[in-house]
Amino acid sequence: MVKPRVLYWFRTDLRLHDSPALKAALDLHPECLYPIWTWDPHYVYRARVGANRWKFLLDCQNDLSASITALNPKSKLFVIREAPVTLLPKLFKRWKITHLVFEKDTDAYGRERDDDVTRLAQDAGVEVLVRLGRTLWDPDALVQKNSGKPTMSLTQTMKAGAKVGRIPRHIPAPQSLPDPGNTTLDFDQDRPPAEPDLNAIQRDGADQSYQHLAGPQGDFAVPTMAELRLKPATTPHRGGERVARKMLDDIIADTTYTATFEKPNTAPTAFAPQATTLLSPHLHFGSISCREFYWRVQDVVDAYKGPGKASQPPTSLTGQVLFRDMYFGAQAALGHKFGQTVGNPQCRFVPWLLPSTVDPASGLITGEHEVDSDEAERWFQAWKHGRTGFPWIDGLMRQLKQEGWIHHLGRHSVAAFLTRGGCYISWERGAEVFEEWLLDHEPACNIGNWQWLSCTAFYAMYYRVYSPVAFPQKWDKDGHFIRHYVPELKDYPTKYIFEPWKAPVVDQKKAGCLVKTVEETDVDATTAATTDTADGGRDDRSAENGALRTYPAPIFDFATQREKCMRGMKAAYSANLYGDDARVLDGSWRSLFPADSAARASTTSASKGNGKRPAGGKGKGQGTLDGHMVKRSKKNGA
């Protein structure tokens, strides 16, 4: 009988500990095991990935490769520069593969890719083994136990999960790995087309990572930032299983923190160190297992005797990974439509500004958006580049761009500001920026969080909004966060640090930074990315002001704009349309929204655009997560 020759396909499971799929591969007692990574052009060119997340991925891959070699000096992570659907059939034949093993992926793209690969494997006579490891429960099983519907609340998720069964305990890493077989690649490479390259903005030149099938030295090395022609990463956060396990060990060692953690009570203004675990990027890339995280935390909670009481979901540490499963279940049921409003039966329709363009043939968003308001486009660019004139919002967006991470409540603040609590701009624009800049970008979680925070799905209390002044003051009265991430304001008096536009000019000059409107600076927010200094400020070297720096005046009066947003949201909720409604699909929704009822009215009527731009390159019982928010009355939002 022929012994198995196994191709183990790593994806979002860049670890050796608690890998059910890797265990399944080893349980075959294979003659040889090839640990591979296919360099998928979908992620290189078609998904928005900033330099920081690329660096984190390469860290994880290099760490995994070193760990594999530590178990077997003849082996490593074999990175092969070709798309999986063209590469794998050639590997099946050349390396005489009998089994393909990988971890299940229910992302919309991942599911389609894996279905294609599975058919190709079957055609080649290769047996495919797929095991769950990315989530606590199988997202498809959650949907099945939720009456075939997407999991749209944590209550639904936990009830469905209880029916699926107990969350499996984590398993140890293997102690050894079989040798790989012959690694000859005597076939032609199918190079992918590089256009369109959504990540061109991240590069200093054309990507070179596909120049050689097995890398420049023919040794299957992990690609480098230089090969990708990526700009330097700026994040201080490092990837890799060894880093992740050390972080988790340190968290678990602090039993009080682990057992009593409550997300809404952690400070969004904390940095160096942050107030939360910062393990989310590792969960995304699989350099730590969500099951190991869950059970190691739960074991601490179960044994905890005080001081204080142990926290429980939804606010506890375990609650955070349960929310993750909720979003995965929603995406598993809805597929690509989960990531957009149009065609999504679970997403409430709101006539946002800067809506996505939709391909009429597929019904899917195209990656571009309609500029139906020049003013809104300026607001969007100001928001993205941390130039809104609201230091709390700007500090968060600069932290996100520089480091690839911001606190959960910081994400709440900037998302509400962009959508229902300020700019009235489509949540899809914000989701695209987060896709580009987040280290922990998980498609299902990013989409779900933006729908939650825009009150288009999962959560409905749209009248509860964040003040960009009062909310951060609660956590950081002296403005240390702002002084760090908006350094042009570092010398402002505490009295004005959250509202620098209120400072008298004499105090502004004394602090070395003038607050100026766009008109006064002669530079609009859309050019901020190229005109700002390295830390986000601008120099004003006029003869009158010497070398003073400048900071923008607020892009709008927040109280006034919030009121407009509340009127718009009230109208949208009254219309009660969802993304699959015929009136949304055919455009007749406009008749339901009188011009004076929506926040978009004052903007579109005064500043109507007609161009297109590339896009950025809660159920019952869940209100506790938002208990920190300032509650506004439905009547006046004040």
Side-chain angles (χ1 to χ4, degrees):
M1 183 176 182
V2 178
K3 292 196 70 176
R5 298 175 60 86
V6 178
L7 200 66
Y8 187 82
W9 185 14
F10 280 100
R11 294 100 65 85
T12 51
D13 56 335
L14 293 169
R15 65 182 183 275
L16 295 180
H17 291 79
D18 191 38
S19 176
L22 181 58
K23 182 179 185 302
L26 296 176
D27 285 347
L28 294 170
H29 304 290
E31 175 186 28
C32 57
L33 178 77
Y34 294 91
I36 71 163
W37 175 285
T38 63
W39 198 243
D40 191 340
H42 172 80
Y43 298 108
V44 178
Y45 300 130
R46 314 293 180 249
R48 297 173 184 84
V49 186
N52 286 333
R53 191 154 87 252
W54 276 116
K55 182 64 172 67
F56 200 93
L57 168 63
L58 301 183
D59 285 348
C60 290
Q61 291 177 326
N62 280 306
D63 181 81
L64 174 63
S65 189
S67 295
I68 291 171
T69 302
L71 292 180
N72 184 337
K74 296 180 180 180
S75 192
K76 65 186 303 182
L77 179 64
F78 294 91
V79 179
I80 311 176
R81 317 318 179 71
E82 189 172 324
V85 292
T86 57
L87 172 66
L88 292 176
K90 291 183 281 189
L91 293 181
F92 297 155
K93 182 177 180 179
R94 183 63 188 86
W95 290 352
K96 297 182 173 58
I97 299 300
T98 63
H99 293 76
L100 172 66
V101 186
F102 55 84
E103 182 179 88
K104 183 172 183 176
D105 187 351
T106 55
D107 284 355
Y109 165 74
R111 191 192 290 275
E112 292 179 353
R113 174 202 60 205
D114 292 352
D115 287 347
D116 290 341
V117 165
T118 298
R119 285 191 292 269
L120 292 168
Q122 291 170 344
D123 291 344
V126 172
E127 184 176 347
V128 178
L129 299 180
V130 183
R131 296 291 184 269
L132 180 70
R134 193 175 177 191
T135 51
L136 301 176
W137 292 293
D138 184 341
D140 290 327
L142 284 180
V143 173
Q144 181 185 23
K145 297 300 183 181
N146 193 42
S147 303
K149 299 177 181 179
T151 48
M152 302 302 294
S153 73
L154 195 60
T155 299
Q156 291 178 1
T157 303
M158 295 179 72
K159 286 182 177 179
K163 295 176 183 177
V164 172
R166 183 177 171 83
I167 297 167
R169 300 284 303 199
H170 49 289
I171 56 178
Q175 297 300 304
S176 63
L177 293 173
D179 291 347
N182 188 303
T183 57
T184 300
L185 300 177
D186 54 358
F187 49 77
D188 292 334
Q189 177 191 32
D190 287 289
R191 289 191 184 180
E195 299 295 334
D197 182 3
L198 296 184
N199 296 314
I201 193 173
Q202 314 293 344
R203 309 186 201 277
D204 287 325
D207 166 59
Q208 302 294 308
S209 65
Y210 290 99
Q211 293 299 307
H212 308 277
L213 186 60
Q217 307 304 317
D219 58 355
F220 302 94
V222 173
T224 64
M225 297 285 281
E227 284 182 80
L228 289 158
R229 295 295 191 268
L230 289 166
K231 297 172 183 176
T234 55
T235 180
H237 308 304
R238 298 275 71 87
E241 183 178 18
R242 284 175 290 188
V243 172
R245 296 190 66 76
K246 174 62 166 60
M247 292 171 66
L248 181 57
D249 287 346
D250 290 345
I251 291 163
I252 296 300
D254 188 343
T255 57
T256 300
Y257 174 87
T258 299
T260 64
F261 176 95
E262 290 188 302
K263 194 72 164 279
N265 293 332
T266 58
T269 52
F271 63 95
Q274 74 290 336
T276 54
T277 68
L278 229 165
L279 280 171
S280 51
H282 295 282
L283 289 170
H284 166 63
F285 285 110
S287 46
I288 199 74
S289 153
C290 63
R291 301 193 313 184
E292 180 170 3
F293 176 87
Y294 176 89
W295 279 114
R296 290 185 66 183
V297 169
Q298 190 60 49
D299 288 345
V300 170
V301 169
D302 290 343
Y304 188 67
K305 303 300 182 183
K309 293 183 178 179
S311 56
Q312 299 295 326
T315 59
S316 63
L317 280 176
T318 55
Q320 307 317 301
V321 283
L322 291 170
F323 270 116
R324 185 173 179 267
D325 265 46
M326 177 187 76
Y327 289 138
F328 270 82
Q331 180 182 241
L334 296 170
H336 286 291
K337 292 296 177 71
F338 180 56
Q340 61 188 61
T341 298
V342 175
N344 184 344
Q346 298 294 330
C347 185
R348 187 180 296 274
F349 176 76
V350 177
W352 305 112
L353 296 163
L354 308 186
S356 298
T357 58
V358 178
D359 180 357
S362 67
L364 300 180
I365 55 178
T366 65
E368 295 184 336
H369 66 265
E370 179 185 350
V371 181
D372 55 351
S373 162
D374 293 333
E375 183 175 54
E377 179 67 24
R378 289 194 296 272
W379 291 352
F380 172 56
Q381 295 298 332
W383 174 85
K384 178 177 180 179
H385 296 293
R387 300 287 302 171
T388 66
F390 294 95
W392 170 236
I393 300 300
D394 294 342
L396 288 166
M397 293 305 294
R398 295 184 197 184
Q399 182 189 26
L400 173 60
K401 184 175 183 179
Q402 292 165 20
E403 300 181 6
W405 182 89
I406 52 177
H407 186 279
H408 176 70
L409 302 184
R411 302 182 197 202
H412 279 223
S413 293
V414 298
F417 184 90
L418 183 69
T419 59
R420 61 185 169 87
C423 301
Y424 210 70
I425 288 171
S426 172
W427 63 266
E428 293 169 15
R429 303 288 72 74
E432 288 162 351
V433 173
F434 274 33
E435 177 187 358
E436 179 183 352
W437 287 348
L438 279 175
L439 292 177
D440 61 9
H441 174 257
E442 197 79 78
C445 298
N446 186 43
I447 292 162
N449 276 327
W450 273 94
Q451 291 178 1
W452 181 307
L453 296 171
S454 63
C455 289
T456 50
F458 301 102
Y459 184 73
M461 289 188 280
Y462 63 83
Y463 46 87
R464 301 180 73 178
V465 298
Y466 290 85
S467 163
V469 175
F471 180 70
Q473 281 179 321
K474 170 186 174 182
W475 301 96
D476 182 19
K477 65 179 181 179
D478 293 322
H480 295 298
F481 179 91
I482 290 171
R483 296 180 198 281
H484 182 80
Y485 290 103
V486 191
E488 62 267 39
L489 300 179
K490 64 183 176 63
D491 294 324
Y492 261 62
T494 298
K495 179 179 179 180
Y496 301 116
I497 190 66
F498 294 98
E499 301 173 284
W501 62 90
K502 291 185 175 181
V505 172
V506 64
D507 288 339
Q508 294 180 25
K509 289 184 175 181
K510 185 177 180 181
C513 181
L514 296 174
V515 175
K516 290 194 170 187
T517 64
V518 168
E519 292 76 13
E520 289 173 323
T521 59
D522 294 323
V523 181
D524 79 36
T526 61
T527 61
T530 56
T531 60
D532 289 352
T533 56
D535 57 21
R538 291 204 184 105
D539 290 326
D540 182 352
R541 300 189 182 279
S542 64
E544 177 184 356
N545 295 316
L548 295 179
R549 307 193 71 195
T550 65
Y551 179 73
I555 55 176
F556 47 59
D557 178 77
F558 178 72
T560 300
Q561 190 62 25
R562 184 189 62 206
E563 291 296 331
K564 294 175 182 177
C565 287
M566 292 302 101
R567 292 199 299 271
M569 293 300 293
K570 182 177 180 180
Y573 268 66
S574 295
N576 199 33
L577 300 181
Y578 286 81
D580 63 339
D581 192 288
R583 291 165 291 184
V584 172
L585 301 177
D586 66 17
S588 61
W589 58 266
R590 292 175 177 83
S591 64
L592 300 177
F593 293 90
D596 62 354
S597 70
R600 69 195 325 273
S602 63
T603 306
T604 55
S605 61
S607 179
K608 179 71 174 177
N610 56 13
K612 294 180 180 178
R613 287 182 183 264
K618 175 168 169 187
K620 185 178 180 181
Q622 297 186 61
T624 51
L625 270 187
D626 291 284
H628 55 272
M629 297 170 67
V630 178
K631 186 171 182 179
R632 310 293 180 182
S633 69
K634 290 186 180 181
K635 181 178 180 181
N636 59 25

